Amino acid sequence: MSSTFTPAEVEDLIQIRRDLHAHPELAFEEVRTSGIVAERLRALGIEMRTGVGKTGIVATVKGGRPGKTVLLRADMDALPIQEENQAPYRSQVQGKMHACGHDCHTSILLAISQKLAQQAASLPGTVKLCFQPAEETGGGAVAMIEEGVLENPKPDAAFGIHVWQNLDLGKVGVTSGPFMAAVDEFTVTVAGKGSHAAMPHYGVDPVVALAHIVTALQTIASRQVSPLKEVVISVTQIRAGSAFNIIPENAWMNGTARVFDPEVWKELPGRFARVVRGVAESLGCRAEIDYRRHNHPTINDPRMAAIARAAAIEVVGADNVRDDVRTMGGEDFSAFLKQLPGCFIAIGSRNESRGLIHEHQQPRFDVDERCLEIGAEILLRTGRRFLEA
Ligand SMILES: [Zn+2]
Ligand SMILES: [Zn+2]
């Protein structure tokens, strides 16, 4: 691999990551984390605004030459998960863990900040460094945008990275077009009429109706939307009843729908409501629906993806850069990509020989830390390439 980071800088990068990993903070509570970010940026003499979107920081490195503005983003929040790893840098906070790798992203962007501070004189244009809160719960990106992160100066493009446990260390995913899915959440309450379980004909059973709804919803993906367009509908929580011999009044469910295609996404709430209401009514029940949008689909701009791919090829070689990595998982980086062209890059972090195989959001998630230098080098080069293009 080709890198401009010195061994001492890489060691520093790893140490920051371990420190952040040991001290995870949940969405919008990243006080210690953003304190460390601010302290580091201040020591580098980098101009910044703190408290943007509650705990976010936006810093600006102005180059010695005029030019465009590029935004580089890292998220900072952890998850409400109890870590089960035994590493010396494991979480020291009960019930909280960096189980998605945002500790990696924050430390990578700090390492990039240091490089940019050194390179400022030769830099054509401006780099905005965006340390974002609350990706996991959603809302962090939008909060920063509402508080002006995309103004004064307005960036011309946005780039971000995510460590990626579905990719081996040394591999990088740069996908042009749809990369991560839209994230919708639905809650349905089916109202029937309670009765004795032995005399169902005196009531209207909402449990049977809910069961039919769960099954019928799958026909949106399998029968209603083109098989060439991905749709996932997962009902993840169901609640009803209080005893084995009573048909309850209500049944409740909650879950998520994921889709890439903007047209399919637009039509999804309508399709969902038609199936739910129609099935409920056909069985004599009434359905109440709460349907929410969390994240837009994350769609990489083809021109920006080409810039990121060129940078990735420089760092890990063409054979290690894949263009087919996609997931139905979601990201609130999509809020930036809705307003700016840009690209979100997947940095392989899995290493089977070291047992680093656990998925994101799992209590044994951990990365091969060699991905940190790769991620930092690629994001740095991507930003510079954009400004120099
Ligand atoms: Zn994440
Ligand atoms: Zn996550």
Side-chain angles (χ1 to χ4, degrees), residues 100 102 135-136 162 331:
C100 199
H102 300 183
E135 192 286 320
E136 293 291 356
H162 208 296
E331 242 298 331

Side-chain angles (χ1 to χ4, degrees), residues 73 75 77 79 99-102 105 135-136 161-164 180 330-331 344 360-361:
R73 174 272 209 173
D75 42 13
D77 56 323
L79 285 153
C100 199
H102 300 183
H105 309 156
E135 192 286 320
E136 293 291 356
I161 48 156
H162 208 296
V163 294
W164 213 261
M180 296 176 80
E331 242 298 331
F344 200 52
H360 296 261
Q361 332 276 79

Side-chain angles (χ1 to χ4, degrees), residues 85-96:
N85 291 313
Q86 291 309 317
Y89 53 82
R90 69 183 172 273
S91 172
Q92 295 181 13
V93 187
Q94 189 73 23
K96 297 179 190 176

Side-chain angles (χ1 to χ4, degrees), residues 40-328:
R40 289 238 164 197
L41 294 175
R42 208 168 288 126
L44 293 166
I46 296 176
E47 216 180 281
M48 81 186 104
R49 262 175 74 204
T50 59
V52 183
K54 204 160 180 196
T55 41
I57 293 181
V58 55
T60 308
V61 179
K62 281 203 181 73
R65 295 188 281 143
K68 294 178 281 193
T69 297
V70 64
L71 180 139
L72 306 180
R73 174 272 209 173
D75 42 13
M76 302 190 288
D77 56 323
L79 285 153
I81 293 175
Q82 177 64 41
E83 178 155 14
E84 289 175 12
N85 291 313
Q86 291 309 317
Y89 53 82
R90 69 183 172 273
S91 172
Q92 295 181 13
V93 187
Q94 189 73 23
K96 297 179 190 176
M97 176 191 179
H98 269 295
C100 199
H102 300 183
D103 50 339
C104 302
H105 309 156
T106 302
S107 51
I108 283 171
L109 196 56
L110 277 174
I112 290 172
S113 309
Q114 186 175 353
K115 278 283 185 219
L116 288 171
Q118 294 163 6
Q119 299 172 357
S122 72
L123 199 67
T126 301
V127 181
K128 274 189 145 172
L129 302 154
C130 175
F131 294 89
Q132 184 207 301
E135 192 286 320
E136 293 291 356
T137 55
V142 168
M144 290 194 84
I145 291 168
E146 279 171 357
E147 291 186 24
V149 77
L150 299 184
E151 288 145 37
N152 304 315
K154 180 175 165 40
D156 300 292
F159 295 95
I161 48 156
H162 208 296
V163 294
W164 213 261
Q165 283 295 90
N166 286 319
L167 274 181
D168 285 330
L169 176 75
K171 305 272 183 211
V172 174
V174 183
T175 301
S176 177
F179 174 48
M180 296 176 80
V183 179
D184 294 354
E185 178 184 351
F186 53 78
T187 304
V188 174
T189 305
V190 177
K193 182 167 173 285
S195 70
H196 194 292
M199 289 155 256
H201 55 298
Y202 291 142
V204 179
D205 189 347
V207 174
V208 170
L210 189 72
H212 278 282
I213 288 169
V214 172
T215 308
L217 280 174
Q218 296 309 319
T219 64
I220 293 177
S222 68
R223 302 289 93 174
Q224 296 188 33
V225 173
S226 162
L228 302 177
K229 312 249 175 183
E230 304 84 348
V231 180
V232 171
I233 296 177
S234 293
V235 175
T236 52
Q237 302 191 77
I238 290 181
R239 273 178 224 139
S242 56
F244 90 100
N245 56 358
I246 303 171
I247 289 171
E249 292 280 325
N250 297 305
W252 177 96
M253 72 175 198
N254 169 257
T256 184
R258 308 294 176 106
V259 46
F260 287 117
D261 186 89
E263 276 305 304
V264 177
W265 192 43
K266 209 168 80 192
E267 293 171 355
L268 202 54
R271 291 187 188 282
F272 183 89
R274 199 180 63 199
V275 169
V276 170
R277 292 229 165 81
V279 172
E281 265 163 41
S282 74
L283 298 173
C285 293
R286 226 170 17 83
E288 213 172 275
I289 300 169
D290 180 13
Y291 195 98
R292 290 164 198 240
R293 307 272 208 209
H294 288 305
N295 289 325
H296 285 255
T298 303
I299 300 175
N300 289 335
D301 178 90
R303 274 174 45 240
M304 299 303 127
I307 291 171
R309 181 172 304 114
I313 287 173
E314 276 179 358
V315 177
V316 295
D319 290 349
N320 291 314
V321 181
R322 285 177 46 179
D323 60 6
D324 60 346
V325 177
R326 295 205 293 162
T327 169
M328 299 306 281

